[in-house]
Amino acid sequence: MSTLTEERPVAPAPATPDPLDAIVQSLREVRLAWREANGRAREPAGRELPSEDTLAHVLEDLGGVLFPMRLGPPELRPQEEDRHVSHTLRQTLLFLEGLIRLELQYDARVRGAELTEGPHIAELARQRARDFAGTLPMVRAELDADLAATFQQESGVRSMDEVLLWHPGMRALLVHRLAHRLHQAGLPLLARMAAEQARVRTGIDIHPAARVGAGCALQRATGVVIPESAVILPGALIDGHHSLTGWQAA
């Protein structure tokens, strides 16, 4: 004779508290306290500030637009240059337009302007991106002069191509000439972010407002700081170990 035994449900074991939950809660409290203290009780929806990573990609792609066969993709062939430049520039300007829109919205908010989003900001960002693109031929011409001057100063280098690929002074000048155009377009935040990325990579700190004439060469310039008020004359040589010629402070 079999006996049926009633099975009693087993109560689930109490969940072990996740120690990260307490940290997340504490971070939230500190974050909200800061916002309250700084009049930032309400954050805008979505991202408020431009992304450093996106800007880095934009700068890298613009290098490939300016020098497609040297800084563009390795598989690029000469007969495809124009197509590559057209495609890359259109895509890059869309990303840049988004970064510009974020800076314009942020600027409007910190100034207390009522209009911080909408079609006006979007159209203004689109126009500034187009205006920036219009400066790229002049940027390329200035960089060509910088490249020739740098090559002339570098001993043991076989071609200007090598200088373009590895020279920190050329890299700093390439980014500066783009950052300077952003500064002129009334985008100081993006301009300073670009300049800082170049400083981290090269050790050369050029304020985006500094005016640097074409045909400039930066030799052994790691640690050199070129301030906002500086005017570098065309054809200047800046040698970080010895002398600075063609330098003016406005």
Side-chain angles (χ1 to χ4, degrees), residues 167-191:
H167 198 281
M170 270 307 304
R171 177 66 189 184
L173 286 170
L174 192 160
V175 175
H176 170 71
R177 298 204 180 280
L178 296 172
H180 185 64
R181 263 55 182 203
L182 291 172
H183 180 83
Q184 289 180 318
L187 301 164
L189 177 59
L190 287 173

PDB file of all heavy atoms in Angstrom, residues 167-191:
ATOM      1  N   HIS A 167      55.095  62.761 -38.560  1.00  0.00           N
ATOM      2  CA  HIS A 167      55.680  63.933 -37.900  1.00  0.00           C
ATOM      3  C   HIS A 167      54.684  64.584 -36.936  1.00  0.00           C
ATOM      4  O   HIS A 167      53.596  65.003 -37.343  1.00  0.00           O
ATOM      5  CB  HIS A 167      56.118  64.953 -38.951  1.00  0.00           C
ATOM      6  CG  HIS A 167      57.086  65.968 -38.439  1.00  0.00           C
ATOM      7  ND1 HIS A 167      56.696  67.060 -37.692  1.00  0.00           N
ATOM      8  CD2 HIS A 167      58.437  66.060 -38.565  1.00  0.00           C
ATOM      9  CE1 HIS A 167      57.761  67.782 -37.395  1.00  0.00           C
ATOM     10  NE2 HIS A 167      58.834  67.196 -37.900  1.00  0.00           N
ATOM     11  N   PRO A 168      55.018  64.700 -35.636  1.00  0.00           N
ATOM     12  CA  PRO A 168      54.063  65.278 -34.681  1.00  0.00           C
ATOM     13  C   PRO A 168      53.742  66.737 -34.969  1.00  0.00           C
ATOM     14  O   PRO A 168      52.617  67.183 -34.746  1.00  0.00           O
ATOM     15  CB  PRO A 168      54.767  65.110 -33.323  1.00  0.00           C
ATOM     16  CG  PRO A 168      56.206  64.915 -33.651  1.00  0.00           C
ATOM     17  CD  PRO A 168      56.249  64.231 -34.973  1.00  0.00           C
ATOM     18  N   GLY A 169      54.743  67.489 -35.471  1.00  0.00           N
ATOM     19  CA  GLY A 169      54.470  68.878 -35.811  1.00  0.00           C
ATOM     20  C   GLY A 169      53.444  69.014 -36.916  1.00  0.00           C
ATOM     21  O   GLY A 169      52.560  69.878 -36.877  1.00  0.00           O
ATOM     22  N   MET A 170      53.538  68.136 -37.928  1.00  0.00           N
ATOM     23  CA  MET A 170      52.559  68.169 -39.012  1.00  0.00           C
ATOM     24  C   MET A 170      51.182  67.758 -38.515  1.00  0.00           C
ATOM     25  O   MET A 170      50.166  68.334 -38.918  1.00  0.00           O
ATOM     26  CB  MET A 170      53.002  67.241 -40.149  1.00  0.00           C
ATOM     27  CG  MET A 170      53.870  67.899 -41.201  1.00  0.00           C
ATOM     28  SD  MET A 170      53.175  69.415 -41.934  1.00  0.00           S
ATOM     29  CE  MET A 170      51.592  68.844 -42.544  1.00  0.00           C
ATOM     30  N   ARG A 171      51.139  66.753 -37.649  1.00  0.00           N
ATOM     31  CA  ARG A 171      49.848  66.333 -37.101  1.00  0.00           C
ATOM     32  C   ARG A 171      49.215  67.473 -36.314  1.00  0.00           C
ATOM     33  O   ARG A 171      48.010  67.750 -36.426  1.00  0.00           O
ATOM     34  CB  ARG A 171      50.023  65.113 -36.197  1.00  0.00           C
ATOM     35  CG  ARG A 171      48.735  64.647 -35.535  1.00  0.00           C
ATOM     36  CD  ARG A 171      47.750  64.121 -36.556  1.00  0.00           C
ATOM     37  NE  ARG A 171      46.442  63.866 -35.960  1.00  0.00           N
ATOM     38  CZ  ARG A 171      45.427  63.337 -36.623  1.00  0.00           C
ATOM     39  NH1 ARG A 171      45.583  62.983 -37.872  1.00  0.00           N
ATOM     40  NH2 ARG A 171      44.271  63.146 -36.030  1.00  0.00           N
ATOM     41  N   ALA A 172      50.024  68.169 -35.519  1.00  0.00           N
ATOM     42  CA  ALA A 172      49.505  69.289 -34.730  1.00  0.00           C
ATOM     43  C   ALA A 172      48.992  70.403 -35.635  1.00  0.00           C
ATOM     44  O   ALA A 172      47.947  71.010 -35.367  1.00  0.00           O
ATOM     45  CB  ALA A 172      50.597  69.814 -33.797  1.00  0.00           C
ATOM     46  N   LEU A 173      49.714  70.679 -36.719  1.00  0.00           N
ATOM     47  CA  LEU A 173      49.283  71.727 -37.643  1.00  0.00           C
ATOM     48  C   LEU A 173      48.018  71.326 -38.389  1.00  0.00           C
ATOM     49  O   LEU A 173      47.125  72.154 -38.616  1.00  0.00           O
ATOM     50  CB  LEU A 173      50.403  72.041 -38.630  1.00  0.00           C
ATOM     51  CG  LEU A 173      51.576  72.840 -38.065  1.00  0.00           C
ATOM     52  CD1 LEU A 173      52.725  72.884 -39.062  1.00  0.00           C
ATOM     53  CD2 LEU A 173      51.143  74.251 -37.690  1.00  0.00           C
ATOM     54  N   LEU A 174      47.919  70.058 -38.771  1.00  0.00           N
ATOM     55  CA  LEU A 174      46.723  69.595 -39.472  1.00  0.00           C
ATOM     56  C   LEU A 174      45.485  69.805 -38.604  1.00  0.00           C
ATOM     57  O   LEU A 174      44.480  70.377 -39.051  1.00  0.00           O
ATOM     58  CB  LEU A 174      46.880  68.121 -39.845  1.00  0.00           C
ATOM     59  CG  LEU A 174      45.859  67.520 -40.822  1.00  0.00           C
ATOM     60  CD1 LEU A 174      46.428  66.246 -41.463  1.00  0.00           C
ATOM     61  CD2 LEU A 174      44.531  67.183 -40.157  1.00  0.00           C
ATOM     62  N   VAL A 175      45.564  69.365 -37.365  1.00  0.00           N
ATOM     63  CA  VAL A 175      44.403  69.521 -36.480  1.00  0.00           C
ATOM     64  C   VAL A 175      44.168  70.989 -36.162  1.00  0.00           C
ATOM     65  O   VAL A 175      43.023  71.455 -36.114  1.00  0.00           O
ATOM     66  CB  VAL A 175      44.591  68.694 -35.192  1.00  0.00           C
ATOM     67  CG1 VAL A 175      43.437  68.947 -34.229  1.00  0.00           C
ATOM     68  CG2 VAL A 175      44.678  67.218 -35.514  1.00  0.00           C
ATOM     69  N   HIS A 176      45.255  71.761 -35.963  1.00  0.00           N
ATOM     70  CA  HIS A 176      45.073  73.175 -35.638  1.00  0.00           C
ATOM     71  C   HIS A 176      44.346  73.906 -36.754  1.00  0.00           C
ATOM     72  O   HIS A 176      43.465  74.743 -36.490  1.00  0.00           O
ATOM     73  CB  HIS A 176      46.409  73.859 -35.374  1.00  0.00           C
ATOM     74  CG  HIS A 176      46.251  75.358 -35.276  1.00  0.00           C
ATOM     75  ND1 HIS A 176      45.635  75.970 -34.198  1.00  0.00           N
ATOM     76  CD2 HIS A 176      46.561  76.355 -36.160  1.00  0.00           C
ATOM     77  CE1 HIS A 176      45.594  77.271 -34.404  1.00  0.00           C
ATOM     78  NE2 HIS A 176      46.147  77.535 -35.578  1.00  0.00           N
ATOM     79  N   ARG A 177      44.703  73.625 -37.997  1.00  0.00           N
ATOM     80  CA  ARG A 177      44.074  74.368 -39.095  1.00  0.00           C
ATOM     81  C   ARG A 177      42.582  74.046 -39.175  1.00  0.00           C
ATOM     82  O   ARG A 177      41.774  74.912 -39.540  1.00  0.00           O
ATOM     83  CB  ARG A 177      44.810  74.098 -40.400  1.00  0.00           C
ATOM     84  CG  ARG A 177      46.258  74.577 -40.341  1.00  0.00           C
ATOM     85  CD  ARG A 177      46.853  74.877 -41.690  1.00  0.00           C
ATOM     86  NE  ARG A 177      48.237  75.328 -41.567  1.00  0.00           N
ATOM     87  CZ  ARG A 177      48.613  76.560 -41.235  1.00  0.00           C
ATOM     88  NH1 ARG A 177      47.686  77.470 -40.970  1.00  0.00           N
ATOM     89  NH2 ARG A 177      49.889  76.886 -41.154  1.00  0.00           N
ATOM     90  N   LEU A 178      42.198  72.836 -38.824  1.00  0.00           N
ATOM     91  CA  LEU A 178      40.775  72.504 -38.742  1.00  0.00           C
ATOM     92  C   LEU A 178      40.129  73.153 -37.513  1.00  0.00           C
ATOM     93  O   LEU A 178      39.031  73.714 -37.602  1.00  0.00           O
ATOM     94  CB  LEU A 178      40.604  70.991 -38.697  1.00  0.00           C
ATOM     95  CG  LEU A 178      41.064  70.223 -39.942  1.00  0.00           C
ATOM     96  CD1 LEU A 178      41.013  68.719 -39.689  1.00  0.00           C
ATOM     97  CD2 LEU A 178      40.213  70.583 -41.160  1.00  0.00           C
ATOM     98  N   ALA A 179      40.817  73.083 -36.369  1.00  0.00           N
ATOM     99  CA  ALA A 179      40.284  73.679 -35.145  1.00  0.00           C
ATOM    100  C   ALA A 179      40.136  75.195 -35.292  1.00  0.00           C
ATOM    101  O   ALA A 179      39.181  75.792 -34.776  1.00  0.00           O
ATOM    102  CB  ALA A 179      41.193  73.351 -33.964  1.00  0.00           C
ATOM    103  N   HIS A 180      41.073  75.826 -35.988  1.00  0.00           N
ATOM    104  CA  HIS A 180      41.020  77.272 -36.182  1.00  0.00           C
ATOM    105  C   HIS A 180      39.779  77.651 -36.985  1.00  0.00           C
ATOM    106  O   HIS A 180      39.118  78.658 -36.691  1.00  0.00           O
ATOM    107  CB  HIS A 180      42.282  77.735 -36.906  1.00  0.00           C
ATOM    108  CG  HIS A 180      42.386  79.225 -37.044  1.00  0.00           C
ATOM    109  ND1 HIS A 180      42.511  80.066 -35.953  1.00  0.00           N
ATOM    110  CD2 HIS A 180      42.376  80.021 -38.142  1.00  0.00           C
ATOM    111  CE1 HIS A 180      42.583  81.319 -36.375  1.00  0.00           C
ATOM    112  NE2 HIS A 180      42.504  81.330 -37.700  1.00  0.00           N
ATOM    113  N   ARG A 181      39.419  76.829 -37.989  1.00  0.00           N
ATOM    114  CA  ARG A 181      38.210  77.106 -38.762  1.00  0.00           C
ATOM    115  C   ARG A 181      36.957  76.915 -37.908  1.00  0.00           C
ATOM    116  O   ARG A 181      35.984  77.661 -38.052  1.00  0.00           O
ATOM    117  CB  ARG A 181      38.159  76.189 -39.979  1.00  0.00           C
ATOM    118  CG  ARG A 181      38.673  76.806 -41.271  1.00  0.00           C
ATOM    119  CD  ARG A 181      40.051  77.348 -41.163  1.00  0.00           C
ATOM    120  NE  ARG A 181      40.518  77.971 -42.404  1.00  0.00           N
ATOM    121  CZ  ARG A 181      41.805  78.119 -42.710  1.00  0.00           C
ATOM    122  NH1 ARG A 181      42.742  77.687 -41.884  1.00  0.00           N
ATOM    123  NH2 ARG A 181      42.163  78.727 -43.824  1.00  0.00           N
ATOM    124  N   LEU A 182      36.979  75.942 -37.027  1.00  0.00           N
ATOM    125  CA  LEU A 182      35.840  75.777 -36.112  1.00  0.00           C
ATOM    126  C   LEU A 182      35.726  76.985 -35.188  1.00  0.00           C
ATOM    127  O   LEU A 182      34.625  77.472 -34.909  1.00  0.00           O
ATOM    128  CB  LEU A 182      36.012  74.497 -35.299  1.00  0.00           C
ATOM    129  CG  LEU A 182      35.889  73.178 -36.061  1.00  0.00           C
ATOM    130  CD1 LEU A 182      36.281  72.006 -35.167  1.00  0.00           C
ATOM    131  CD2 LEU A 182      34.482  72.981 -36.601  1.00  0.00           C
ATOM    132  N   HIS A 183      36.870  77.468 -34.709  1.00  0.00           N
ATOM    133  CA  HIS A 183      36.869  78.654 -33.841  1.00  0.00           C
ATOM    134  C   HIS A 183      36.318  79.858 -34.602  1.00  0.00           C
ATOM    135  O   HIS A 183      35.502  80.625 -34.061  1.00  0.00           O
ATOM    136  CB  HIS A 183      38.286  78.929 -33.347  1.00  0.00           C
ATOM    137  CG  HIS A 183      38.385  80.127 -32.451  1.00  0.00           C
ATOM    138  ND1 HIS A 183      38.114  80.071 -31.110  1.00  0.00           N
ATOM    139  CD2 HIS A 183      38.714  81.423 -32.731  1.00  0.00           C
ATOM    140  CE1 HIS A 183      38.275  81.271 -30.578  1.00  0.00           C
ATOM    141  NE2 HIS A 183      38.635  82.109 -31.537  1.00  0.00           N
ATOM    142  N   GLN A 184      36.745  80.038 -35.835  1.00  0.00           N
ATOM    143  CA  GLN A 184      36.260  81.158 -36.636  1.00  0.00           C
ATOM    144  C   GLN A 184      34.766  81.039 -36.916  1.00  0.00           C
ATOM    145  O   GLN A 184      34.087  82.055 -37.106  1.00  0.00           O
ATOM    146  CB  GLN A 184      37.023  81.227 -37.957  1.00  0.00           C
ATOM    147  CG  GLN A 184      38.476  81.677 -37.815  1.00  0.00           C
ATOM    148  CD  GLN A 184      39.186  81.716 -39.154  1.00  0.00           C
ATOM    149  OE1 GLN A 184      39.034  80.825 -39.989  1.00  0.00           O
ATOM    150  NE2 GLN A 184      39.983  82.759 -39.359  1.00  0.00           N
ATOM    151  N   ALA A 185      34.251  79.806 -36.947  1.00  0.00           N
ATOM    152  CA  ALA A 185      32.830  79.586 -37.195  1.00  0.00           C
ATOM    153  C   ALA A 185      31.977  79.800 -35.948  1.00  0.00           C
ATOM    154  O   ALA A 185      30.769  79.542 -35.978  1.00  0.00           O
ATOM    155  CB  ALA A 185      32.604  78.175 -37.736  1.00  0.00           C
ATOM    156  N   GLY A 186      32.590  80.254 -34.856  1.00  0.00           N
ATOM    157  CA  GLY A 186      31.838  80.481 -33.628  1.00  0.00           C
ATOM    158  C   GLY A 186      31.522  79.219 -32.867  1.00  0.00           C
ATOM    159  O   GLY A 186      30.474  79.124 -32.224  1.00  0.00           O
ATOM    160  N   LEU A 187      32.456  78.245 -32.932  1.00  0.00           N
ATOM    161  CA  LEU A 187      32.278  76.963 -32.245  1.00  0.00           C
ATOM    162  C   LEU A 187      33.465  76.720 -31.325  1.00  0.00           C
ATOM    163  O   LEU A 187      34.275  75.811 -31.541  1.00  0.00           O
ATOM    164  CB  LEU A 187      32.141  75.838 -33.278  1.00  0.00           C
ATOM    165  CG  LEU A 187      30.977  75.999 -34.258  1.00  0.00           C
ATOM    166  CD1 LEU A 187      31.142  75.090 -35.455  1.00  0.00           C
ATOM    167  CD2 LEU A 187      29.639  75.757 -33.557  1.00  0.00           C
ATOM    168  N   PRO A 188      33.607  77.527 -30.268  1.00  0.00           N
ATOM    169  CA  PRO A 188      34.804  77.443 -29.424  1.00  0.00           C
ATOM    170  C   PRO A 188      34.949  76.132 -28.685  1.00  0.00           C
ATOM    171  O   PRO A 188      36.070  75.674 -28.439  1.00  0.00           O
ATOM    172  CB  PRO A 188      34.636  78.618 -28.449  1.00  0.00           C
ATOM    173  CG  PRO A 188      33.150  78.869 -28.412  1.00  0.00           C
ATOM    174  CD  PRO A 188      32.674  78.564 -29.801  1.00  0.00           C
ATOM    175  N   LEU A 189      33.833  75.493 -28.311  1.00  0.00           N
ATOM    176  CA  LEU A 189      33.930  74.236 -27.574  1.00  0.00           C
ATOM    177  C   LEU A 189      34.513  73.143 -28.453  1.00  0.00           C
ATOM    178  O   LEU A 189      35.460  72.437 -28.064  1.00  0.00           O
ATOM    179  CB  LEU A 189      32.555  73.823 -27.049  1.00  0.00           C
ATOM    180  CG  LEU A 189      32.494  72.473 -26.321  1.00  0.00           C
ATOM    181  CD1 LEU A 189      33.437  72.458 -25.122  1.00  0.00           C
ATOM    182  CD2 LEU A 189      31.071  72.164 -25.884  1.00  0.00           C
ATOM    183  N   LEU A 190      33.985  72.966 -29.658  1.00  0.00           N
ATOM    184  CA  LEU A 190      34.525  71.958 -30.569  1.00  0.00           C
ATOM    185  C   LEU A 190      35.979  72.270 -30.930  1.00  0.00           C
ATOM    186  O   LEU A 190      36.805  71.358 -31.032  1.00  0.00           O
ATOM    187  CB  LEU A 190      33.677  71.885 -31.839  1.00  0.00           C
ATOM    188  CG  LEU A 190      32.307  71.222 -31.702  1.00  0.00           C
ATOM    189  CD1 LEU A 190      31.513  71.370 -32.996  1.00  0.00           C
ATOM    190  CD2 LEU A 190      32.443  69.757 -31.319  1.00  0.00           C
ATOM    191  N   ALA A 191      36.284  73.553 -31.102  1.00  0.00           N
ATOM    192  CA  ALA A 191      37.654  73.942 -31.443  1.00  0.00           C
ATOM    193  C   ALA A 191      38.621  73.569 -30.319  1.00  0.00           C
ATOM    194  O   ALA A 191      39.705  73.018 -30.573  1.00  0.00           O
ATOM    195  CB  ALA A 191      37.715  75.436 -31.726  1.00  0.00           C
TER     196      ALA A 191
END
